[in-house]
Amino acid sequence: MSELSHIASHVQSVASAVAADDPIRESIAQAVRDVKATTPLAASFTNFVTINLVANAQLASGGTAAMSFLADDVIATSAISGADYVNVGTLLPFYREALDRIAHAFHESGHKWVLDPVAAGIGTERTAILTAFRDVPPTVIRGNASEIIALDAMWGLADAADDDAAVTRPAGVESVDEVDSALDAAVRLARHMASHRADGTAAVAVSGAVDLVTDGRDVYRLPGGSALMTKITGAGCSLGGVTATYLAVADPMTAALAASLLYNRAGEAAEARAEGPGSFQTHLLDALWTTTPEQVAGSPIDRTSVR
Ligand SMILES: Nc1ncnc2c1ncn2[C@@H]1O[C@H](COP(=O)(O)OP(=O)(O)O)[C@@H](O)[C@H]1O
Ligand SMILES: Cc1ncsc1CCOP(=O)(O)O
Ligand SMILES: [Mg+2]
């Protein structure tokens, strides 16, 4: 792959640190407080590998969880769920029809949902499922860089005249790309998703050593976390589930920022106490529980804007 394909074509303003009194920090703190105060339900259709960690992380963050794989059940639950989480990590033959029904139902009702496009680009069935979401898209996408690049290519969002169309290469559940190489893809996905929502809001969160969150206009970069997060399975999936928990009480950008920042602070606290991946997972859940709204909102945050 050419190095040039990793150079973002969207023009960015100069990055600046988000000030202590910037309104986005109060929105983030309020979202964290609201989840703790209201214990919102975010229901999940998620993979078999990490389903338990997703539920436990949602509970530790202050929300509640409900897991299901039946379209009828998921659609009925959306009446009492503030937002949903859909993760395509492990697929079964009936999922294509179920997820198509679910996405159309959410689109018609305006129900908010988070998509985690795990292993995007692998297999015709997963590709068919993810491609079908293009016209009934989620409210937030949370994935690693390779997944975001693959989904953008799948949805054909790059202008045919542009030469910056995402170049994809096979990746499993782990990323083989740097976060910033997914900037253009993330911006295009966020703009596309926003154009399909009545209130025009959407966000894309790209996880990695420095997370990137964008609504297609502003781009936030969030340093921190722990390399041990890549040594347990489900750090990404549970981050997606917690993003849905915050989406139940907040707008897409605030929800994506709050969840990613909570994970960075909790990952650092867990690393300080852990002796390896096993105890890290336990300490991560404890830290999701103990990290305060002020610690989340007081995190280092950089912002640029794109055009
Ligand atoms: N090298 C790293 N250093 C610090 N934090 C990381 C690193 N890689 C991933 N993370 C964190 O781990 C969590 C899961 O991200 P990631 O591993 O990219 O997801 P996935 O498991 O879906 O590939 C995120 O909170 C992210 O910030
Ligand atoms: C290992 C694995 N295989 C299919 S889904 C899955 C879990 C991926 O979890 P995460 O993306 O959070 O690392
Ligand atoms: Mg993942």
Side-chain angles (χ1 to χ4, degrees):
M1 179 168 45
S2 149
E3 281 302 308
L4 283 177
S5 66
H6 275 176
I7 295 175
S9 70
H10 284 105
V11 177
Q12 294 179 73
S13 63
V14 175
S16 61
V18 170
D21 62 352
D22 191 288
I24 192 71
R25 291 191 185 274
E26 180 47 32
S27 300
I28 292 166
Q30 195 58 47
V32 180
R33 280 185 218 114
D34 285 348
V35 162
K36 290 178 187 287
T38 66
T39 58
L41 171 63
S44 297
F45 185 123
T46 190
N47 72 69
F48 307 135
V49 182
T50 65
I51 187 167
N52 181 269
L53 184 62
V54 172
N56 274 315
Q58 291 178 317
L59 293 169
S61 305
T64 56
M67 277 52 185
S68 179
F69 301 98
L70 287 181
D72 164 67
D73 203 31
V74 172
I75 293 165
T77 305
S78 69
I80 56 166
S81 176
D84 270 56
Y85 176 54
V86 173
N87 175 309
V88 297
T90 50
L91 298 173
L92 289 174
F94 70 90
Y95 280 19
R96 196 202 292 207
E97 193 198 338
L99 285 170
D100 197 55
R101 275 183 63 197
I102 289 167
H104 277 86
F106 288 173
H107 188 69
E108 276 156 33
S109 67
H111 186 66
K112 299 187 284 186
W113 61 291
V114 177
L115 172 65
D116 191 330
V118 178
I122 300 280
T124 53
E125 195 68 13
R126 180 176 283 101
T127 299
I129 289 169
L130 292 175
T131 303
F133 290 152
R134 183 186 190 281
D135 297 328
V136 282
T139 325
V140 175
I141 296 172
R142 190 231 67 88
N144 63 44
S146 297
E147 292 159 349
I148 298 301
I149 291 168
L151 190 64
D152 170 64
M154 225 175 266
W155 286 5
L157 297 179
D159 188 325
D162 286 354
D163 61 2
D164 74 324
V167 177
T168 61
R169 49 188 162 156
V173 303
E174 303 291 348
S175 187
V176 295
D177 294 284
E178 296 299 320
V179 168
D180 256 76
S181 66
L183 170 66
D184 282 334
V187 167
R188 282 192 289 263
L189 286 165
R191 290 179 181 177
H192 171 81
M193 291 149 64
S195 74
H196 281 71
R197 285 199 62 81
D199 67 3
T201 66
V204 174
V206 189
S207 58
V210 177
D211 303 319
L212 183 157
V213 179
T214 182
D215 60 0
R217 295 184 305 269
D218 292 326
V219 178
Y220 292 91
R221 288 183 176 79
L222 319 172
S226 166
L228 274 172
M229 290 166 121
T230 65
K231 298 300 174 195
I232 62 168
T233 188
C237 301
S238 59
L239 168 58
V242 171
T243 303
T245 297
Y246 285 124
L247 186 61
V249 302
D251 66 85
M253 179 67 115
T254 302
L257 287 169
S260 297
L261 291 170
L262 172 64
Y263 262 65
N264 284 345
R265 300 296 76 76
E268 290 157 3
E271 183 183 300
R273 295 175 177 85
E275 293 172 12
S279 54
F280 179 80
Q281 180 174 310
T282 302
H283 287 301
L284 181 64
L285 286 175
D286 285 352
L288 292 175
W289 176 253
T290 55
T291 302
T292 66
E294 292 69 31
Q295 286 171 321
V296 176
S299 297
I301 307 175
D302 273 0
R303 178 169 50 212
T304 63
S305 58
V306 288
R307 62 178 170 78

